[in-house]
Amino acid sequence: MTTTQPARPGEWFDTGMGLDDIDLAQYRMDITTDRYTDPDYVQREHSNIWLRVWQVAGRASELPEAGDWMEYRLLDQSFILVRGKDGEIRGFVNACRHRGNKLCVGKGNAKRGLLCQYHLWSYDLEGRLKGVLREKENVLTALDKEGLGLFPISVECFGGFIFVNPDPDAAPLAEFLGADVVELLSPYHLDEMDTVLDVREALDCNWKVVMDAFEEGYHISGIHPQLLQVIMIDPSTTRYRFFDKHSVSCAPFEVAGKKFGLEEQLEGIMSLPETFPSVTAVLPRFQELVAEYRDAAGDLVLPEGVTPRTLLQRATRETLTGMGFDVSGLTDAQMSDNHGWVLFPNFFMTVRAGEATVILAQPHESGDPNRCYWHIISVMWLPDEYKEALRAPRIDVSEPGEYKYFTALQQDYEQMPRQQLGLRNRTLEYMSLVKEEVVIAHYHSVVDRYLAGDREMAQ
């Protein structure tokens, strides 16, 4: 009796759209530059995008205990995220209902509730007004107190990330993401991964410059030449899937038979931990598998169908499974291939079995279109015995250049401000995208729909 392997969501890649399948006429390939430099755009984005969309504020693991809270700032808005005694994470406008004083700054714990330091009004972890200084003298009734709770915002978690929406009447997160996105991301078990890098820093560029930079691989040859040994820049092999607001794309992680010899491919894979840290745990098994294919003279002889890529995939599946991580819902290709996810408005993620790196981009609170924040969160599946040693706290970089990112990110970090300087030239009215940058074109079509006031976009 034979059994059929159930379909895995990642198999979309096998039938996904290539560049030649995409109707570029549906997108504008000339992107106006004023959206990166005009202060009026900042205000329009504030009202039409940021106050209406689900956005990632951090990892749920940042609030592990009841009473743990952290501040989430968005331009001139401030919100409190707090874990209740029931385990739920809730969000509130960070302003006391008495005189508007800011309740929380940074992070902390308030098991007994949130206290305003101005006049000592207090709120429970569900935002209800609990106590008022000299309550009897100030004649506050129970009904008064019931109507003076903190203003709520929408908060939900997915994949271990805390998503917030300033609109308390926002449609559920699942509707915003869409069923297909949820189905495709669920097998990665992102909620079971631990944070191994968490860095936030101000950059001298517009937040959309950050998003654009990670939505295409066209720049790899110019900015990341070290990656060429393991990433073949072959647009014909890239596959795309577009959703209403979001997208995913993938270029196969191999160079077999294209440019480098077998030994050079092996060298490239052995250097992967510099960019993809979780590969470190996989390399011992990978080396064992490679050794099985060396002849008496030490030469590597691979039979048809076996490549360094497939050996890396096998080593990854065996290693992660052996450590207790469930990769049964992922394809062999997902053992090695990074899928690039864009979740509107400011979430980019490369994800493969056992690890993911997320780049979040956010406008600067000054309102200056030439400044923004980027927030890098890398997560990895870790066995219990390594969690405490490798789990990373948040780092807020105050001095430019004082934090050194891993090689590829450092190269992007240095490149993006250079682009912003060019975009500020008034003679340059628009950017001219090439076919390989279709994800950028799709992304900006969503930006345009929000800025045009499309109310259906929030649903």
Side-chain angles (χ1 to χ4, degrees):
M1 179 179 178
T2 58
T3 58
T4 302
Q5 174 72 39
R8 292 166 170 153
E11 292 174 3
W12 73 267
F13 180 88
D14 298 332
T15 56
M17 291 191 300
L19 276 180
D20 291 340
D21 302 315
I22 300 172
D23 178 14
L24 295 181
Q26 63 187 310
Y27 305 120
R28 286 190 57 181
M29 302 300 284
D30 54 339
I31 305 299
T32 56
T33 56
D34 57 351
R35 70 185 59 208
Y36 300 93
T37 60
D38 186 349
D40 289 342
Y41 254 88
V42 177
Q43 296 306 314
R44 291 175 60 197
E45 290 171 347
H46 190 189
S47 300
N48 288 13
I49 296 178
W50 293 104
L51 296 182
R52 296 176 53 197
V53 297
W54 287 97
Q55 54 206 271
V56 169
R59 293 285 287 173
S61 57
E62 295 182 66
L63 305 176
E65 305 293 336
D68 285 344
W69 59 262
M70 67 180 183
E71 180 188 10
Y72 177 64
R73 291 186 297 169
L74 175 65
L75 286 167
D76 61 352
Q77 306 295 296
S78 176
F79 308 101
I80 309 165
L81 303 176
V82 60
R83 189 178 290 276
K85 294 179 180 178
D86 59 358
E88 292 293 315
I89 297 177
R90 296 178 175 85
F92 306 101
V93 173
N94 192 6
C96 179
R97 290 295 306 279
H98 173 218
R99 296 264 296 279
N101 191 58
K102 195 172 183 179
L103 292 171
C104 299
V105 178
K107 298 181 72 171
N109 181 276
K111 290 184 179 179
R112 296 183 179 180
L114 302 166
L115 179 67
C116 176
Q117 297 294 332
Y118 195 7
H119 299 96
L120 303 183
W121 282 34
S122 61
Y123 302 83
D124 66 21
L125 300 182
E126 295 183 11
R128 293 181 292 247
L129 180 60
K130 186 171 66 172
V132 173
L133 181 65
R134 293 193 287 276
E135 187 171 322
K136 291 182 180 179
E137 291 87 337
N138 284 297
V139 198
L140 268 181
T141 68
L143 185 60
D144 291 331
K145 289 172 67 176
E146 185 176 334
L148 288 173
L150 299 177
F151 290 117
I153 63 170
S154 300
V155 177
E156 293 190 46
C157 292
F158 174 72
F161 293 96
I162 305 172
F163 284 80
V164 305
N165 191 325
D167 183 356
D169 299 318
L173 175 63
E175 291 185 25
F176 179 80
L177 294 176
D180 288 337
V181 171
V182 172
E183 179 188 28
L184 289 169
L185 287 178
S186 293
Y188 287 105
H189 300 295
L190 290 165
D191 56 321
E192 298 179 24
M193 297 185 192
D194 288 279
T195 301
V196 295
L197 177 68
D198 191 346
V199 181
R200 188 172 187 265
E201 181 174 0
L203 299 180
D204 290 329
C205 65
N206 189 272
W207 67 276
K208 296 182 295 299
V209 165
V210 177
M211 293 303 297
D212 293 351
F214 294 96
E215 291 172 354
E216 47 87 5
Y218 189 49
H219 71 280
I220 290 177
S221 295
I223 302 300
H224 310 302
Q226 297 88 346
L227 295 181
L228 295 179
Q229 270 189 272
V230 288
I231 298 179
M232 168 53 64
I233 310 303
D234 184 355
S236 68
T237 64
T238 302
R239 294 293 177 265
Y240 303 85
R241 190 164 176 182
F242 296 103
F243 310 96
D244 182 44
K245 305 176 183 71
H246 320 296
S247 67
V248 59
S249 59
C250 178
F253 203 63
E254 68 172 338
V255 293
K258 300 289 180 70
K259 181 178 180 181
F260 295 103
L262 290 178
E263 295 296 341
E264 289 174 299
Q265 293 175 50
L266 295 181
E267 287 178 19
I269 289 174
M270 294 302 295
S271 69
L272 281 176
E274 191 173 323
T275 303
F276 305 107
S278 74
V279 179
T280 301
V282 172
L283 291 183
R285 180 56 182 152
F286 174 72
Q287 290 175 299
E288 290 176 355
L289 294 174
V290 169
E292 294 177 7
Y293 292 98
R294 291 197 182 277
D295 61 19
D299 295 326
L300 184 61
V301 181
L302 298 180
E304 185 176 353
V306 177
T307 67
R309 164 187 160 90
T310 64
L311 293 178
L312 177 63
Q313 292 170 351
R314 180 180 164 188
T316 302
R317 186 179 294 279
E318 292 179 2
T319 301
L320 291 175
T321 300
M323 291 193 299
F325 187 54
D326 180 13
V327 293
S328 61
L330 300 175
T331 65
D332 287 341
Q334 287 173 300
M335 299 297 107
S336 59
D337 297 354
N338 279 282
H339 286 217
W341 278 91
V342 180
L343 301 183
F344 192 83
N346 67 329
F347 178 106
F348 175 81
M349 174 174 66
T350 57
V351 59
R352 59 190 291 276
E355 71 175 338
T357 294
V358 172
I359 292 93
L360 303 170
Q362 191 184 71
H364 197 270
E365 70 266 13
S366 66
D368 184 348
N370 300 293
R371 301 202 73 202
C372 75
Y373 289 98
W374 82 341
H375 186 178
I376 313 299
I377 302 176
S378 289
V379 297
M380 185 188 304
W381 191 84
L382 299 173
D384 290 340
E385 59 267 30
Y386 295 113
K387 289 181 184 291
E388 288 303 318
L390 297 178
R391 190 180 290 138
R394 171 81 63 85
I395 297 174
D396 286 294
V397 180
S398 57
E399 292 295 327
E402 70 177 4
Y403 184 88
K404 294 301 180 184
Y405 301 90
F406 58 79
T407 302
L409 272 184
Q410 184 68 28
Q411 291 163 334
D412 289 311
Y413 170 82
E414 295 168 1
Q415 163 59 33
M416 291 183 293
R418 289 197 294 266
Q419 182 185 0
Q420 185 70 26
L421 289 174
L423 290 170
R424 297 176 71 169
N425 284 292
R426 296 183 180 180
T427 306
L428 184 70
E429 296 182 354
Y430 58 88
M431 304 187 306
S432 303
L433 301 182
V434 299
K435 197 172 184 180
E436 289 179 50
E437 297 169 321
V438 63
V439 174
I440 296 177
H442 173 267
Y443 174 78
H444 282 274
S445 74
V446 182
V447 171
D448 289 342
R449 287 161 61 193
Y450 268 98
L451 293 185
D454 185 348
R455 298 304 302 175
E456 291 185 3
M457 294 299 291
Q459 303 302 315

